[in-house]
Amino acid sequence: MTNVHGESIDLPTPDGTADAYLAHPDDGAPHPGVLLYMDAFGLRPALEEMARRLAGQGYTVLVPNVLYRAGRAPVVELPEHINPAERPQLFEKIMPLIRSFTPELAMRDVGAYLDWLAASPLVADGPVGTTGYCMGGVLAVRTAAAYPDRIAAAGSFHASNLATDAEDSPHRALDRVTAELYFGHADNDHSMPPEQIAALERALDATGVRYRSELYEGAQHGYTQTDTAMYNAEAAERHWRALLDLFGRTL
């Protein structure tokens, strides 16, 4: 692991200013860029720690507060440890924000995030990688489809509703993807049941996208997030191995 520098920054977007966290090796040299997408609980110390861990492997990692329109992070007040008993009250506050954050808004913002990475002297030339968790796993897939010339790899972990009947379901855009994709599904996840995983894999096979789709047995939705009751250390470490393998091959 190299020494890492982390800092909070502000990014201009078409609709305002997004607060974000940036982590990178502190050698001042350019490194491959990675866009790391938050889960529903948002930009917070646990995600900053993930960004620093990834940066320690030689990447410049940007973690935007994608819900910046609702305010700076933390957008909702969070307990130090998020457990299922507190989740209903949290989701009462979070879900309206997520519902108002449409795919159109999301992808408009991504253009600004990618432009910022491309302009930064800390980011090496060439396409970037993306990884996302929960709602961020959906954003990672949508980003790979919306910006195929700029995304070389996308990791999606315990993402929800990747293959639904909705017209804008993420799996319907896979024909635009040129990146290599990795999916780490939680097997105890009612928001991504076996039939949806099968539908996603059929769509991936039909488009010829390079991908791996794996089931993390015994893992719950949210298994990567250290500050939640859903955290599963074994599954989280497996996710790190898969993600670093993906980025090592593609970036």
Side-chain angles (χ1 to χ4, degrees):
M1 292 276 283
T2 54
N3 288 334
V4 166
H5 176 78
E7 63 181 310
S8 296
I9 61 169
D10 284 347
L11 304 174
T13 76
D15 295 337
T17 300
D19 50 314
Y21 185 76
L22 180 71
H24 57 87
D26 67 1
D27 56 8
H31 295 273
V34 173
L35 190 55
L36 191 156
Y37 284 121
M38 59 187 236
D39 62 352
F41 299 124
L43 181 54
R44 59 195 192 283
L47 277 185
E48 293 174 0
E49 179 56 41
M50 291 181 82
R52 288 193 296 272
R53 179 167 174 176
L54 190 51
Q57 298 295 324
Y59 299 97
T60 294
V61 185
L62 181 67
V63 193
N65 166 24
V66 301
L67 298 178
Y68 69 88
R69 290 175 182 82
R72 298 179 74 84
V75 177
V76 299
E77 200 174 323
L78 296 168
E80 249 176 75
H81 187 76
I82 301 163
N83 71 45
E86 291 155 337
R87 287 176 72 188
Q89 295 94 310
L90 277 175
F91 275 107
E92 275 175 28
K93 298 173 185 168
I94 293 169
M95 287 315 294
L97 305 179
I98 292 172
R99 277 194 287 270
S100 67
F101 182 54
T102 63
E104 293 74 28
L105 287 178
M107 291 306 104
R108 191 158 78 212
D109 290 342
V110 172
Y113 304 151
L114 293 174
D115 286 348
W116 190 92
L117 285 169
S120 172
L122 297 168
V123 179
D125 291 341
V128 303
T130 181
T131 181
Y133 305 90
C134 170
M135 63 177 271
V138 177
L139 291 174
V141 176
R142 291 196 189 281
T143 298
Y147 296 91
D149 54 328
R150 301 176 78 169
I151 304 296
S156 176
F157 298 92
H158 50 81
S160 307
N161 301 315
L162 287 170
T164 69
D165 295 334
E167 275 183 34
D168 63 353
S169 173
H171 79 293
R172 301 189 195 281
L174 290 169
D175 57 342
R176 300 203 293 272
V177 171
T178 59
E180 183 175 340
L181 306 181
Y182 179 91
F183 298 90
H185 307 290
D187 77 342
N188 184 6
D189 190 349
H190 61 83
S191 67
M192 193 65 197
E195 57 271 20
Q196 268 204 59
I197 294 174
L200 173 68
E201 290 173 352
R202 284 195 299 273
L204 287 160
D205 290 337
T207 57
V209 173
R210 288 169 300 143
Y211 79 95
R212 276 173 70 194
S213 173
E214 296 185 331
L215 193 66
Y216 285 40
E217 289 176 13
Q220 297 183 61
H221 180 82
Y223 62 81
T224 58
Q225 301 301 303
T226 56
D227 60 348
T228 73
M230 295 73 74
Y231 176 63
N232 179 313
E234 190 180 336
E237 287 307 310
R238 179 179 171 186
H239 132 269
W240 281 114
R241 290 192 298 273
L243 185 64
L244 292 171
D245 183 49
L246 173 70
F247 287 167
R249 280 198 308 279
T250 53
L251 302 184

